Amino acid sequence: MSDASPHEGLSTLLHEARTFAPSPEFAAQANGTAELYQQADADRLAFWAEQARTYLTWEKDFEEVLDWSQAPFAKWFVGGKLNACVNAVDRHVEAGHGDRVAFHFVGEPGDTQDITYAQMHQKVQRAANALSELGIGKGDTVTIYLPMIPEAVVAMLACARLGAPHTVVFGGFSSDALHSRIQDAGSKVVITADGGWRRGKPSALKPAVDGALAQGDTPVEHVLVVQRTEQDVDWSEGRDIWWHDALAAAADTHEPEFFDSEHPLFILYTSGTTGKPKGVLHTTGGYLLQNAYTTSVVHDLHPETDVYWCTADIGWVTGHSYIVYGPMTLGATQVMYEGTPDTPHQGRFWEIIQDKKVSILYTAPTAIRTFMKWGKEIPEKFDLSSLRLLGSVGEPINPEAWMWYREVIGGGRCPIIDTWWQTETGATMISPLPGVTATKPGSAMRAIPGITADVVDESGEPVGRDAGGYLVITAPWPAMLRGIWGDPERFKETYWSRFPGVYFAGDGAKFDEDGNVWVVGRVDDVMNVSGHRMSTSEIESALVSHPKVAEAAVVGANDATTGQAICAFVILREDAVEEADEVGEGAELVAELRNHVAKEIGAIAKPRQILIVSELPKTRSGKIMRRLLRDVAEKREIGDVTTLADSSVMDLITEGLRAGD
Ligand code: WT7
């Protein structure tokens, strides 16, 4: 735990008086209704059983809804058998929707591709056969390191079809980070691409895979390479295989096997409070169900008429849940965009919405704040009248950004869903139901039907209304993580030991006077930078692995656009200090350290600011007081220093910084 108080910042929250009720027209057509809350309250497990039979196709029906006898290790829909890929693809084709577009793909350079469910069906069958040829079967993990291209979805679903848990690694992670994930997951096969298009240039992905595998000590036998950019790549004969060759050579039909409801579906690595990222494990039935259900009642997706766009990358849980498993299980038509919002111009998102007639947009507050900064004249040039629902995810959305999103993008007519959830929760937990809830700008409102959340104090007691504390989930839920890959103890300790019997989310939150939840942000040493989760200690480990660094402390400083920004305080080794003084290379050294972090973790982890200091503020027991470093990083008056072992340290730091300005 950090020394951050969960109550920090709560007093600055508005007592928000504005509410926005859904229009009668929206409410009349909405999938989510007020009755769902009553049904779930009356009998939660019967409620989930009914949803599971409504939203999923089971090869064999389940016998028991929940087995919680081995808590906190849950089993949902016990005895049921299903195949996630069949639910996401095959059954839509069988139902006669093969001609429906699954993806309107928009490449960054401007190439487009419409892929129907029938075409997806052909692709996942061929890909499943190609993977089986390489020895992949039930229980084998496959690492996927791809840009935002349709093959990423095909690869994930082909793995699911085979019962081979995928582990998708975001393309922004470095070869070192990729290596440790391949190793931890024990993958025999890696699926990558020659590159992707990013800001007008081809990015390099294959070299990162080559670099990771050159480090050795992995079970990788084969690398499948998707051709996207056609740039030259190094080739390891015998190991590397072109994706298109493998698919062309594979049989075009694949008979799916059905797996236990609790069969592992995927592992996704996320930053925790310690240096090593944890492999969050999700299984098939419960995860798929909660995603299909929430995509229906929260995103209000109507697969026959909507065009849905979730702007997340497949490398994060949002892409897994709200591009692949939720929407596709419902048979949605989606937009997938490869590139960045500013390429080739700052209106790219709005142009895509106009061209593809997007009706549901799901994006992150950091993106909304960036669009605000660029100015409303840009979206105003486009026809956004197809939009009917707007979603937000990944971090708290400030009321100002919420209002801008509503007015400028939603034309004042679209309900906003502010969805709170985590990699670990697997699917949305707290959110308005868009046809039911009168929303308040900045609040995720209430736990959705079937989910029970609370806010508790230090001793685990509910705080009641108009008070703040820690956000907890008080009963197991279908999409909950089933554990940390290879580390059951860490699962118990991280989530289930802080408050006995309930799930500790790691977030601070407040109940307002009406019982709505306002999520404030992390109360542990996890940062949220542009909706990306980063651990302070992971970046500290990366910094101290540099030969010139003796000690490092990292904090997340408030940032108007990215939510938080990474700010590092570094103490140099003595020889490095002397060298830096002699050649006056402070700025160069800072650049070197930033690049070192990019190499160790990825460019997304580069600190915005690195401050070279001579001391770090520590308590008498040696704990770094990050609160004081945040004061420095946010250019605030330094707070209470009485618990410091040496209270003059902060003077040294602030004086040193002023001298360096
Ligand atoms: C953390 C989880 C949810 C998928 C993307 C991020 C923060 C997420 C909200 C929201 C306030 C939010 C929390 C949470 N967060 N959504 N609507 N309002 N905070 O998943 O990387 O696992 O991060 O993101 O702090 O704990 P993640």
Side-chain angles (χ1 to χ4, degrees), residues 270 316-318 362 392-397 418-424 430 444 505-507 519-522 528 531-533:
T270 190
W316 307 107
V317 75
T318 309
Y362 191 43
S392 172
V393 61
E395 48 178 320
I397 178 164
D418 174 5
T419 58
W420 178 89
W421 58 292
Q422 309 176 296
T423 305
E424 293 88 340
I430 303 176
D507 278 341
V519 178
V520 180
R522 303 290 307 195
N528 193 326
H532 296 159
R533 195 158 143 180

mmCIF file of all heavy atoms in Angstrom, residues 270 316-318 362 392-397 418-424 430 444 505-507 519-522 528 531-533, ligand 1:
data_model
loop_
_atom_site.group_PDB
_atom_site.id
_atom_site.type_symbol
_atom_site.label_atom_id
_atom_site.label_comp_id
_atom_site.label_asym_id
_atom_site.label_seq_id
_atom_site.Cartn_x
_atom_site.Cartn_y
_atom_site.Cartn_z
ATOM 1 N N THR A 270 -0.959 -7.636 -16.516
ATOM 2 C CA THR A 270 -1.254 -6.262 -16.111
ATOM 3 C C THR A 270 -0.348 -5.896 -14.951
ATOM 4 O O THR A 270 0.166 -6.762 -14.248
ATOM 5 C CB THR A 270 -2.747 -6.105 -15.749
ATOM 6 O OG1 THR A 270 -3.037 -4.714 -15.585
ATOM 7 C CG2 THR A 270 -3.126 -6.843 -14.485
ATOM 8 N N TRP A 316 -5.163 -4.590 -24.717
ATOM 9 C CA TRP A 316 -5.656 -4.321 -23.358
ATOM 10 C C TRP A 316 -6.955 -5.064 -23.151
ATOM 11 O O TRP A 316 -7.599 -5.508 -24.107
ATOM 12 C CB TRP A 316 -5.898 -2.818 -23.157
ATOM 13 C CG TRP A 316 -4.713 -1.978 -23.504
ATOM 14 C CD1 TRP A 316 -4.582 -1.176 -24.603
ATOM 15 C CD2 TRP A 316 -3.478 -1.863 -22.785
ATOM 16 N NE1 TRP A 316 -3.354 -0.572 -24.606
ATOM 17 C CE2 TRP A 316 -2.657 -0.977 -23.501
ATOM 18 C CE3 TRP A 316 -2.990 -2.427 -21.592
ATOM 19 C CZ2 TRP A 316 -1.373 -0.628 -23.078
ATOM 20 C CZ3 TRP A 316 -1.710 -2.087 -21.177
ATOM 21 C CH2 TRP A 316 -0.924 -1.200 -21.902
ATOM 22 N N VAL A 317 -7.405 -5.131 -21.917
ATOM 23 C CA VAL A 317 -8.604 -5.916 -21.640
ATOM 24 C C VAL A 317 -9.834 -5.328 -22.338
ATOM 25 O O VAL A 317 -10.740 -6.062 -22.736
ATOM 26 C CB VAL A 317 -8.836 -6.069 -20.118
ATOM 27 C CG1 VAL A 317 -9.366 -4.786 -19.496
ATOM 28 C CG2 VAL A 317 -9.765 -7.244 -19.841
ATOM 29 N N THR A 318 -9.862 -4.019 -22.524
ATOM 30 C CA THR A 318 -11.024 -3.420 -23.183
ATOM 31 C C THR A 318 -11.191 -3.977 -24.592
ATOM 32 O O THR A 318 -12.304 -4.247 -25.037
ATOM 33 C CB THR A 318 -10.900 -1.886 -23.214
ATOM 34 O OG1 THR A 318 -10.618 -1.438 -21.888
ATOM 35 C CG2 THR A 318 -12.186 -1.224 -23.692
ATOM 36 N N TYR A 362 -17.210 3.961 -27.969
ATOM 37 C CA TYR A 362 -16.690 3.625 -26.633
ATOM 38 C C TYR A 362 -15.221 4.010 -26.608
ATOM 39 O O TYR A 362 -14.413 3.425 -27.340
ATOM 40 C CB TYR A 362 -16.879 2.127 -26.416
ATOM 41 C CG TYR A 362 -16.665 1.590 -25.019
ATOM 42 C CD1 TYR A 362 -17.150 2.248 -23.887
ATOM 43 C CD2 TYR A 362 -16.015 0.371 -24.828
ATOM 44 C CE1 TYR A 362 -16.987 1.705 -22.619
ATOM 45 C CE2 TYR A 362 -15.856 -0.182 -23.558
ATOM 46 C CZ TYR A 362 -16.341 0.490 -22.462
ATOM 47 O OH TYR A 362 -16.180 -0.056 -21.206
ATOM 48 N N SER A 392 -17.493 5.624 -21.940
ATOM 49 C CA SER A 392 -16.200 6.054 -21.413
ATOM 50 C C SER A 392 -15.654 4.943 -20.525
ATOM 51 O O SER A 392 -16.402 4.305 -19.792
ATOM 52 C CB SER A 392 -16.391 7.337 -20.605
ATOM 53 O OG SER A 392 -15.201 7.692 -19.936
ATOM 54 N N VAL A 393 -14.342 4.734 -20.585
ATOM 55 C CA VAL A 393 -13.734 3.663 -19.794
ATOM 56 C C VAL A 393 -12.258 3.911 -19.547
ATOM 57 O O VAL A 393 -11.600 4.561 -20.347
ATOM 58 C CB VAL A 393 -13.877 2.297 -20.509
ATOM 59 C CG1 VAL A 393 -13.191 2.281 -21.857
ATOM 60 C CG2 VAL A 393 -13.356 1.157 -19.633
ATOM 61 N N GLY A 394 -11.774 3.417 -18.419
ATOM 62 C CA GLY A 394 -10.337 3.372 -18.193
ATOM 63 C C GLY A 394 -9.837 4.238 -17.069
ATOM 64 O O GLY A 394 -8.797 3.970 -16.490
ATOM 65 N N GLU A 395 -10.560 5.296 -16.763
ATOM 66 C CA GLU A 395 -10.126 6.205 -15.699
ATOM 67 C C GLU A 395 -11.315 7.098 -15.360
ATOM 68 O O GLU A 395 -12.290 7.149 -16.122
ATOM 69 C CB GLU A 395 -8.936 7.037 -16.173
ATOM 70 C CG GLU A 395 -9.210 7.613 -17.535
ATOM 71 C CD GLU A 395 -8.101 8.507 -18.081
ATOM 72 O OE1 GLU A 395 -7.527 9.285 -17.315
ATOM 73 O OE2 GLU A 395 -7.889 8.435 -19.290
ATOM 74 N N PRO A 396 -11.225 7.790 -14.251
ATOM 75 C CA PRO A 396 -12.335 8.696 -13.931
ATOM 76 C C PRO A 396 -12.469 9.761 -15.018
ATOM 77 O O PRO A 396 -11.483 10.248 -15.542
ATOM 78 C CB PRO A 396 -11.879 9.336 -12.607
ATOM 79 C CG PRO A 396 -10.854 8.403 -12.036
ATOM 80 C CD PRO A 396 -10.169 7.790 -13.215
ATOM 81 N N ILE A 397 -13.699 10.056 -15.386
ATOM 82 C CA ILE A 397 -13.917 11.126 -16.369
ATOM 83 C C ILE A 397 -14.353 12.371 -15.596
ATOM 84 O O ILE A 397 -15.297 12.325 -14.799
ATOM 85 C CB ILE A 397 -14.917 10.723 -17.477
ATOM 86 C CG1 ILE A 397 -15.154 11.887 -18.453
ATOM 87 C CG2 ILE A 397 -16.241 10.177 -16.941
ATOM 88 C CD1 ILE A 397 -15.793 11.493 -19.772
ATOM 89 N N ASP A 418 -20.541 5.617 -18.297
ATOM 90 C CA ASP A 418 -19.208 5.669 -17.699
ATOM 91 C C ASP A 418 -19.035 4.328 -17.005
ATOM 92 O O ASP A 418 -19.649 4.074 -15.981
ATOM 93 C CB ASP A 418 -19.135 6.837 -16.713
ATOM 94 C CG ASP A 418 -17.826 6.872 -15.936
ATOM 95 O OD1 ASP A 418 -16.921 6.054 -16.213
ATOM 96 O OD2 ASP A 418 -17.713 7.725 -15.026
ATOM 97 N N THR A 419 -18.226 3.451 -17.621
ATOM 98 C CA THR A 419 -18.150 2.063 -17.160
ATOM 99 C C THR A 419 -16.911 1.829 -16.309
ATOM 100 O O THR A 419 -15.793 1.983 -16.781
ATOM 101 C CB THR A 419 -18.100 1.108 -18.373
ATOM 102 O OG1 THR A 419 -16.967 1.450 -19.178
ATOM 103 C CG2 THR A 419 -19.368 1.235 -19.227
ATOM 104 N N TRP A 420 -17.130 1.437 -15.070
ATOM 105 C CA TRP A 420 -15.993 1.095 -14.207
ATOM 106 C C TRP A 420 -15.784 -0.404 -14.214
ATOM 107 O O TRP A 420 -16.719 -1.161 -13.966
ATOM 108 C CB TRP A 420 -16.205 1.562 -12.753
ATOM 109 C CG TRP A 420 -15.024 1.152 -11.906
ATOM 110 C CD1 TRP A 420 -13.882 1.864 -11.697
ATOM 111 C CD2 TRP A 420 -14.866 -0.101 -11.205
ATOM 112 N NE1 TRP A 420 -13.014 1.123 -10.924
ATOM 113 C CE2 TRP A 420 -13.583 -0.075 -10.618
ATOM 114 C CE3 TRP A 420 -15.665 -1.236 -11.047
ATOM 115 C CZ2 TRP A 420 -13.095 -1.139 -9.853
ATOM 116 C CZ3 TRP A 420 -15.172 -2.310 -10.299
ATOM 117 C CH2 TRP A 420 -13.899 -2.246 -9.698
ATOM 118 N N TRP A 421 -14.570 -0.801 -14.486
ATOM 119 C CA TRP A 421 -14.183 -2.207 -14.370
ATOM 120 C C TRP A 421 -12.683 -2.290 -14.461
ATOM 121 O O TRP A 421 -12.005 -1.265 -14.473
ATOM 122 C CB TRP A 421 -14.897 -3.068 -15.409
ATOM 123 C CG TRP A 421 -14.698 -2.704 -16.858
ATOM 124 C CD1 TRP A 421 -15.155 -1.581 -17.504
ATOM 125 C CD2 TRP A 421 -14.001 -3.467 -17.849
ATOM 126 N NE1 TRP A 421 -14.793 -1.622 -18.823
ATOM 127 C CE2 TRP A 421 -14.096 -2.766 -19.057
ATOM 128 C CE3 TRP A 421 -13.337 -4.698 -17.825
ATOM 129 C CZ2 TRP A 421 -13.511 -3.242 -20.247
ATOM 130 C CZ3 TRP A 421 -12.771 -5.179 -19.002
ATOM 131 C CH2 TRP A 421 -12.865 -4.438 -20.194
ATOM 132 N N GLN A 422 -12.147 -3.509 -14.485
ATOM 133 C CA GLN A 422 -10.692 -3.712 -14.462
ATOM 134 C C GLN A 422 -10.337 -4.958 -15.267
ATOM 135 O O GLN A 422 -11.204 -5.796 -15.518
ATOM 136 C CB GLN A 422 -10.216 -3.982 -13.026
ATOM 137 C CG GLN A 422 -10.668 -2.996 -12.015
ATOM 138 C CD GLN A 422 -10.229 -3.411 -10.611
ATOM 139 O OE1 GLN A 422 -10.653 -4.441 -10.098
ATOM 140 N NE2 GLN A 422 -9.389 -2.603 -9.998
ATOM 141 N N THR A 423 -9.056 -5.089 -15.594
ATOM 142 C CA THR A 423 -8.582 -6.331 -16.209
ATOM 143 C C THR A 423 -9.088 -7.523 -15.382
ATOM 144 O O THR A 423 -9.542 -8.524 -15.921
ATOM 145 C CB THR A 423 -7.036 -6.343 -16.237
ATOM 146 O OG1 THR A 423 -6.591 -5.160 -16.896
ATOM 147 C CG2 THR A 423 -6.512 -7.558 -16.967
ATOM 148 N N GLU A 424 -9.019 -7.371 -14.079
ATOM 149 C CA GLU A 424 -9.379 -8.472 -13.189
ATOM 150 C C GLU A 424 -10.881 -8.752 -13.167
ATOM 151 O O GLU A 424 -11.291 -9.896 -13.001
ATOM 152 C CB GLU A 424 -8.939 -8.151 -11.751
ATOM 153 C CG GLU A 424 -7.441 -8.093 -11.529
ATOM 154 C CD GLU A 424 -6.847 -6.715 -11.784
ATOM 155 O OE1 GLU A 424 -7.489 -5.890 -12.480
ATOM 156 O OE2 GLU A 424 -5.738 -6.457 -11.269
ATOM 157 N N ILE A 430 -19.699 -1.436 -12.750
ATOM 158 C CA ILE A 430 -20.457 -0.275 -12.300
ATOM 159 C C ILE A 430 -20.670 0.623 -13.508
ATOM 160 O O ILE A 430 -19.710 0.976 -14.199
ATOM 161 C CB ILE A 430 -19.688 0.486 -11.196
ATOM 162 C CG1 ILE A 430 -19.387 -0.451 -10.027
ATOM 163 C CG2 ILE A 430 -20.474 1.718 -10.724
ATOM 164 C CD1 ILE A 430 -18.537 0.174 -8.926
ATOM 165 N N ALA A 444 -19.811 6.938 -12.189
ATOM 166 C CA ALA A 444 -20.132 5.669 -12.866
ATOM 167 C C ALA A 444 -21.473 5.127 -12.353
ATOM 168 O O ALA A 444 -21.926 4.085 -12.799
ATOM 169 C CB ALA A 444 -19.015 4.656 -12.655
ATOM 170 N N ALA A 505 -10.614 -3.851 -4.860
ATOM 171 C CA ALA A 505 -10.313 -3.453 -6.238
ATOM 172 C C ALA A 505 -9.049 -2.592 -6.354
ATOM 173 O O ALA A 505 -8.504 -2.443 -7.439
ATOM 174 C CB ALA A 505 -11.507 -2.690 -6.817
ATOM 175 N N GLY A 506 -8.614 -1.999 -5.241
ATOM 176 C CA GLY A 506 -7.455 -1.113 -5.311
ATOM 177 C C GLY A 506 -7.816 0.320 -5.656
ATOM 178 O O GLY A 506 -6.946 1.147 -5.873
ATOM 179 N N ASP A 507 -9.107 0.615 -5.711
ATOM 180 C CA ASP A 507 -9.554 1.977 -6.029
ATOM 181 C C ASP A 507 -10.191 2.647 -4.814
ATOM 182 O O ASP A 507 -10.850 1.996 -4.012
ATOM 183 C CB ASP A 507 -10.618 1.940 -7.139
ATOM 184 C CG ASP A 507 -10.010 1.841 -8.526
ATOM 185 O OD1 ASP A 507 -8.813 2.150 -8.681
ATOM 186 O OD2 ASP A 507 -10.723 1.452 -9.458
ATOM 187 N N VAL A 519 -15.740 7.003 -8.563
ATOM 188 C CA VAL A 519 -14.434 6.366 -8.426
ATOM 189 C C VAL A 519 -13.381 7.463 -8.483
ATOM 190 O O VAL A 519 -13.395 8.301 -9.383
ATOM 191 C CB VAL A 519 -14.198 5.335 -9.544
ATOM 192 C CG1 VAL A 519 -12.817 4.712 -9.421
ATOM 193 C CG2 VAL A 519 -15.282 4.260 -9.511
ATOM 194 N N VAL A 520 -12.480 7.440 -7.503
ATOM 195 C CA VAL A 520 -11.506 8.518 -7.407
ATOM 196 C C VAL A 520 -10.192 8.151 -8.084
ATOM 197 O O VAL A 520 -9.536 8.976 -8.697
ATOM 198 C CB VAL A 520 -11.264 8.871 -5.930
ATOM 199 C CG1 VAL A 520 -10.250 9.995 -5.826
ATOM 200 C CG2 VAL A 520 -12.556 9.264 -5.262
ATOM 201 N N GLY A 521 -9.810 6.892 -7.999
ATOM 202 C CA GLY A 521 -8.527 6.470 -8.577
ATOM 203 C C GLY A 521 -7.858 5.473 -7.656
ATOM 204 O O GLY A 521 -8.384 5.142 -6.598
ATOM 205 N N ARG A 522 -6.697 5.015 -8.063
ATOM 206 C CA ARG A 522 -6.014 3.948 -7.333
ATOM 207 C C ARG A 522 -5.555 4.415 -5.959
ATOM 208 O O ARG A 522 -5.145 5.554 -5.780
ATOM 209 C CB ARG A 522 -4.794 3.486 -8.131
ATOM 210 C CG ARG A 522 -5.084 3.007 -9.529
ATOM 211 C CD ARG A 522 -5.821 1.726 -9.630
ATOM 212 N NE ARG A 522 -5.225 0.637 -8.892
ATOM 213 C CZ ARG A 522 -5.564 -0.652 -9.082
ATOM 214 N NH1 ARG A 522 -6.455 -0.984 -10.003
ATOM 215 N NH2 ARG A 522 -5.005 -1.594 -8.362
ATOM 216 N N ASN A 528 -2.300 5.356 -13.510
ATOM 217 C CA ASN A 528 -3.168 5.252 -14.680
ATOM 218 C C ASN A 528 -2.773 6.384 -15.634
ATOM 219 O O ASN A 528 -3.088 7.541 -15.408
ATOM 220 C CB ASN A 528 -4.627 5.381 -14.223
ATOM 221 C CG ASN A 528 -5.588 4.979 -15.322
ATOM 222 O OD1 ASN A 528 -5.320 5.197 -16.496
ATOM 223 N ND2 ASN A 528 -6.707 4.406 -14.937
ATOM 224 N N GLY A 531 -5.172 5.992 -19.388
ATOM 225 C CA GLY A 531 -5.977 4.773 -19.308
ATOM 226 C C GLY A 531 -5.131 3.507 -19.326
ATOM 227 O O GLY A 531 -5.663 2.413 -19.307
ATOM 228 N N HIS A 532 -3.810 3.645 -19.372
ATOM 229 C CA HIS A 532 -2.931 2.476 -19.321
ATOM 230 C C HIS A 532 -2.409 2.302 -17.914
ATOM 231 O O HIS A 532 -2.030 3.256 -17.250
ATOM 232 C CB HIS A 532 -1.742 2.625 -20.277
ATOM 233 C CG HIS A 532 -2.147 2.679 -21.709
ATOM 234 N ND1 HIS A 532 -1.357 3.199 -22.677
ATOM 235 C CD2 HIS A 532 -3.279 2.276 -22.325
ATOM 236 C CE1 HIS A 532 -1.970 3.120 -23.848
ATOM 237 N NE2 HIS A 532 -3.147 2.566 -23.656
ATOM 238 N N ARG A 533 -2.399 1.060 -17.528
ATOM 239 C CA ARG A 533 -2.026 0.766 -16.155
ATOM 240 C C ARG A 533 -0.529 0.546 -16.032
ATOM 241 O O ARG A 533 0.043 -0.242 -16.767
ATOM 242 C CB ARG A 533 -2.781 -0.484 -15.780
ATOM 243 C CG ARG A 533 -2.812 -0.737 -14.356
ATOM 244 C CD ARG A 533 -3.997 -1.624 -14.142
ATOM 245 N NE ARG A 533 -3.675 -2.565 -13.127
ATOM 246 C CZ ARG A 533 -4.531 -3.483 -12.706
ATOM 247 N NH1 ARG A 533 -5.715 -3.586 -13.243
ATOM 248 N NH2 ARG A 533 -4.185 -4.278 -11.751
HETATM 249 C C1 WT7 B 1 -8.356 0.620 -13.347
HETATM 250 C C2 WT7 B 1 -8.319 -0.680 -14.089
HETATM 251 C C3 WT7 B 1 -11.565 -1.051 -17.439
HETATM 252 C C4 WT7 B 1 -10.761 -1.481 -18.558
HETATM 253 C C5 WT7 B 1 -9.611 -0.577 -18.849
HETATM 254 C C6 WT7 B 1 -8.675 -0.394 -17.695
HETATM 255 C C7 WT7 B 1 -9.515 2.625 -13.539
HETATM 256 C C8 WT7 B 1 -11.334 1.991 -15.156
HETATM 257 C C9 WT7 B 1 -12.832 3.505 -14.757
HETATM 258 C C10 WT7 B 1 -13.947 4.397 -14.674
HETATM 259 C C11 WT7 B 1 -12.839 5.484 -12.932
HETATM 260 C C12 WT7 B 1 -11.756 3.709 -13.881
HETATM 261 C C13 WT7 B 1 -9.608 2.133 -12.111
HETATM 262 C C14 WT7 B 1 -9.383 0.642 -12.247
HETATM 263 N N1 WT7 B 1 -10.829 2.746 -14.166
HETATM 264 N N2 WT7 B 1 -12.527 2.439 -15.529
HETATM 265 N N3 WT7 B 1 -14.996 4.280 -15.485
HETATM 266 N N4 WT7 B 1 -13.895 5.366 -13.742
HETATM 267 N N5 WT7 B 1 -11.757 4.692 -12.977
HETATM 268 O O1 WT7 B 1 -8.393 -1.625 -17.065
HETATM 269 O O2 WT7 B 1 -5.911 -1.444 -16.920
HETATM 270 O O3 WT7 B 1 -7.162 -3.091 -15.496
HETATM 271 O O4 WT7 B 1 -7.297 -0.615 -15.043
HETATM 272 O O5 WT7 B 1 -8.738 1.661 -14.237
HETATM 273 O O6 WT7 B 1 -8.589 2.720 -11.364
HETATM 274 O O7 WT7 B 1 -8.894 0.045 -11.075
HETATM 275 P P1 WT7 B 1 -7.131 -1.751 -16.144
#
